[in-house]
């Protein structure tokens, strides 16, 4: 059970974050020069790989199991509940639906205002924008996957899910950008929020010496509980007066 | 540079400080309850539900509509 949920959580979180990174790199490549966009993106991937290679072993080697569960749990709660909060706001119509394609178009429009350097000179603006976009999304992926992998038995499903999602998202993003417009990103991000929040609740409680009555199966109960509660929150929010949040990713 | 720092802050804390503050309060409250309950007490079996309840309150507070 934990294996499947870890695989699902890592794959969805990684795939959706990378979809946003691919949208930024594509916008830079199509508006400016593909070579500079890819150089910026490659530098960010290297930086993320170094961070991931350093963070995982340090966490596992230097932190005892109970505090590690607490650290991992709180980290997952920080990400998961934020994704869930945004998901509830989107489902309640209080926030624009998530769309990497809209980000792609907005990024393209912003980039068109920056003049390209002469041919043969490096386009630092394009490189920096691609680097920053991939780095910020990549760091979130590294933190989530590291947190999911840090649990005993979590390494294989977390890496397998993240790896498969990375290959699929980057490949499909570049080859088949238009079909990706039809992805229900809002609903998928909401599911990631549910999965990460369930894991976060589970690990944080274990770190505080709780013994879950059903073992790993308690994860399913937690996911069901968070699903019902967040849906009720979305319904209540949709029915109450208040200002919508400004459109953000 | 300022844009990058803002993005890093958003990455770590999210878009609102209310939620991370609520999570910190929920975990701290759960820690206090565990200490009060002592080893092998009710906390071991019911602590998960208590923590989940505190986290639900944190999410509900972070979702309060703007007036």
């Amino acid at each position: 059970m934990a294996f499947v949920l870890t695989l699902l959580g890592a794959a969805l979180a990684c795939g959706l974050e990378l979809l946003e990174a691919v949208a930024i790199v594509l916008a830079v490549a199509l508006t400016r020069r593909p070579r500079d966009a890819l150089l910026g993106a490659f530098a960010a991937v290297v930086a993320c790989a170094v961070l991931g290679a350093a963070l995982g072993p340090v966490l596992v080697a230097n932190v005892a199991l109970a505090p590690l569960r607490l650290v991992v749990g709180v980290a997952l709660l920080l990400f998961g509940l934020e994704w869930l909060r945004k998901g509830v706001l989107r489902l309640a119509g209080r926030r624009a639906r998530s769309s990497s394609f809209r980000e792609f178009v907005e990024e393209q429009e912003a980039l068109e205002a920056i003049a390209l350097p002469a041919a043969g000179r490096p386009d630092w603006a394009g490189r920096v924008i691609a680097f920053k976009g991939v780095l910020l999304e990549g760091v979130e992926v590294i933190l989530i996957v590291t947190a999911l992998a840090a649990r005993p038995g979590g390494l294989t499903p977390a890496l397998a899910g993240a790896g498969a999602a990375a290959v699929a998202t980057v490949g499909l993003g570049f080859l088949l950008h238009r079909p990706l417009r039809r992805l229900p990103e809002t609903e998928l991000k909401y599911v990631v929020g549910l999965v990460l929040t369930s894991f976060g609740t589970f690990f944080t409680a274990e770190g505080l010496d709780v013994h879950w009555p059903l073992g790993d199966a308690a994860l399913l109960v937690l996911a069901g509980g968070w699903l019902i509660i967040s849906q009720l929150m979305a319904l209540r929010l949709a029915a109450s007066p208040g200002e919508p949040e400004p459109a953000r990713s | 540079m300022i844009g990058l720092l803002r993005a890093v802050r958003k990455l770590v804390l999210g878009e609102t400080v209310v939620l991370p503050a609520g999570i910190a309060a929920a975990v701290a409250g759960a820690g206090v309850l565990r200490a009060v309950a002592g080893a092998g007490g009710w906390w071991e079996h019911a602590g998960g539900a208590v923590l989940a309840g505190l986290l639900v309150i944190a999410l509900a507070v972070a979702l309060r509509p703007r007036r």
Side-chain angles (χ1 to χ4, degrees), chain A residues 53-111:
Chain A
L55 192 62
V58 166
L59 258 184
V60 174
N62 296 320
V63 186
L65 190 58
L68 180 64
R69 282 176 173 152
L70 194 59
V71 169
V72 166
V74 171
L76 288 170
L77 284 174
L78 281 171
F79 286 113
L81 280 171
E82 176 68 1
W83 284 51
L84 199 55
R85 185 187 73 84
K86 291 179 188 171
V88 168
L89 288 170
R90 289 185 184 117
L91 293 177
R94 290 301 179 88
R95 184 186 178 102
R97 287 179 66 80
S98 183
S99 167
S100 293
F101 184 74
R102 191 188 66 233
E103 280 178 47
F104 166 74
V105 173
E106 286 171 358
E107 196 73 47
Q108 256 194 327
E109 286 170 358
L111 283 166

Side-chain angles (χ1 to χ4, degrees), chain A residues 5-249:
Chain A
L5 279 174
T6 305
L7 189 83
L8 179 74
L12 281 176
C14 182
L16 289 165
E17 289 298 331
L18 288 184
L19 195 59
E20 292 177 15
V22 166
I24 293 168
V25 176
L26 267 179
V28 176
L30 295 176
T31 315
R32 304 178 74 83
R33 292 176 191 148
R35 185 173 175 273
D36 290 295
L38 290 175
L39 276 173
F42 180 72
V45 168
V46 171
C48 287
V50 169
L51 176 69
L55 192 62
V58 166
L59 258 184
V60 174
N62 296 320
V63 186
L65 190 58
L68 180 64
R69 282 176 173 152
L70 194 59
V71 169
V72 166
V74 171
L76 288 170
L77 284 174
L78 281 171
F79 286 113
L81 280 171
E82 176 68 1
W83 284 51
L84 199 55
R85 185 187 73 84
K86 291 179 188 171
V88 168
L89 288 170
R90 289 185 184 117
L91 293 177
R94 290 301 179 88
R95 184 186 178 102
R97 287 179 66 80
S98 183
S99 167
S100 293
F101 184 74
R102 191 188 66 233
E103 280 178 47
F104 166 74
V105 173
E106 286 171 358
E107 196 73 47
Q108 256 194 327
E109 286 170 358
L111 283 166
E112 277 165 0
I114 305 171
L116 261 176
R121 303 197 66 174
D123 175 18
W124 284 107
R127 288 181 188 182
V128 168
I129 291 165
F131 176 80
K132 185 182 141 188
V134 174
L135 185 72
L136 290 175
E137 306 297 346
V139 166
E140 192 163 349
V141 167
I142 295 294
L143 293 177
I144 291 172
V145 173
T146 302
L148 288 172
R151 184 180 184 246
L155 184 65
T156 305
L159 289 183
V167 171
T169 308
V170 174
L172 289 175
F174 280 105
L175 294 175
L176 306 164
H177 191 62
R178 285 188 181 279
L180 291 182
R181 290 171 64 177
R182 291 194 288 269
L183 270 183
E185 286 181 47
T186 295
E187 287 74 14
L188 288 173
K189 285 184 173 178
Y190 171 69
V191 170
V192 173
L194 284 176
V195 172
L196 295 184
T197 303
S198 303
F199 269 111
T201 312
F202 186 85
F203 292 153
T204 304
E206 279 196 334
L208 291 169
D209 298 331
V210 167
H211 294 291
W212 290 99
L214 303 171
D216 283 352
L219 276 167
L220 271 188
V221 177
L222 283 171
W226 279 114
L227 171 71
I228 293 167
I229 286 164
S230 57
Q231 286 292 327
L232 289 174
M233 285 176 173
L235 286 173
R236 183 172 165 271
L237 205 56
S240 64
E243 291 174 26
E245 284 203 352
R248 283 174 290 201
S249 63

